[in-house]
Amino acid sequence: MAYKKMSKTKTIVTTIAIIAILVGAIAGVVALASGNKSEEGYINVDPKFYIGGLNSDGEYVDAENSIYTRDAFECEESVKVILDFDSNVKYQVFFYDDVDEFISATDVVQKGAEFVTPADATHARILVIPIWDAEIETEDRVVKWYSINKFANQLTIRIQETVEENTDVAA
């Protein structure tokens, strides 16, 4: 009698486990199929953010209240930044040439925008500054390593695809 009860329990547990695995596999396939959608003509950029900042000359500064992209990403035409509806960050885009010399920076912005890449600029970095609640003391307005993604995930960065023109002339 005890054997039948144990066998029935084992069957139920096994069935539930198989169903859970199948549901997980289907969810994974759906997530992969939907992918990282971006609008036509743009490519999503997923840079890695670090705690720190950039000064008005586009150089690194030690800062605990902001995050930035240490590695510049390519942007030949334009950079488009889309903020989440309920975001609490502002940002600034810094443009550099192909040897990492600073060219210019945008103003600090609190809404989504598209920025045309300046002449001679080929790369960009982004500085993200959290907007802190008024009740948080100034000395407590610090980005911790575990909150980098909280702020970075509030914006989507896209660059315009460059279309290479065919300059070959048929003879």
Side-chain angles (χ1 to χ4, degrees):
M1 190 70 150
Y3 174 75
K4 271 190 168 183
K5 190 173 185 181
M6 192 164 130
S7 177
K8 197 176 206 183
T9 304
K10 199 183 253 187
T11 304
I12 292 172
V13 169
T14 304
T15 304
I16 291 172
I18 290 172
I19 291 172
I21 290 170
L22 288 174
V23 168
I26 291 170
V29 168
V30 169
L32 287 174
S34 65
N36 197 2
K37 302 270 187 202
S38 65
E39 60 190 280
E40 190 172 329
Y42 290 87
I43 301 169
N44 281 2
V45 178
D46 190 21
K48 185 161 175 60
F49 284 88
Y50 297 88
I51 297 171
L54 299 168
N55 65 16
S56 60
D57 295 325
E59 297 172 350
Y60 170 78
V61 292
D62 188 27
E64 295 181 329
N65 60 348
S66 61
I67 59 175
Y68 77 109
T69 55
R70 182 183 302 160
D71 300 319
F73 55 89
E74 288 188 42
C75 63
E76 293 186 15
E77 300 289 329
S78 69
V79 176
K80 187 177 206 175
V81 180
I82 302 165
L83 288 178
D84 288 350
F85 178 74
D86 57 350
S87 68
N88 62 343
V89 296
K90 49 191 175 181
Y91 65 94
Q92 189 173 13
V93 181
F94 292 79
F95 294 99
Y96 302 84
D97 66 12
D98 56 353
V99 292
D100 210 27
E101 289 292 322
F102 174 70
I103 293 179
S104 68
T106 66
D107 293 330
V108 176
V109 183
Q110 277 186 257
K111 59 183 179 180
E114 184 167 3
F115 306 96
V116 175
T117 304
D120 299 330
T122 58
H123 292 78
R125 287 186 174 93
I126 295 190
L127 172 70
V128 178
I129 307 156
I131 299 171
W132 305 99
D133 290 331
E135 58 267 3
I136 297 176
E137 298 293 327
T138 305
E139 62 270 3
D140 293 334
R141 296 177 182 188
V142 175
V143 177
K144 302 289 186 186
W145 65 269
Y146 53 82
S147 61
I148 292 173
N149 285 337
K150 171 185 168 186
F151 298 116
N153 290 339
Q154 293 182 36
L155 49 109
T156 301
I157 304 165
R158 294 182 178 155
I159 57 170
Q160 189 171 5
E161 285 184 288
T162 54
V163 179
E164 294 186 23
E165 295 179 19
N166 188 358
T167 57
D168 294 339
V169 179

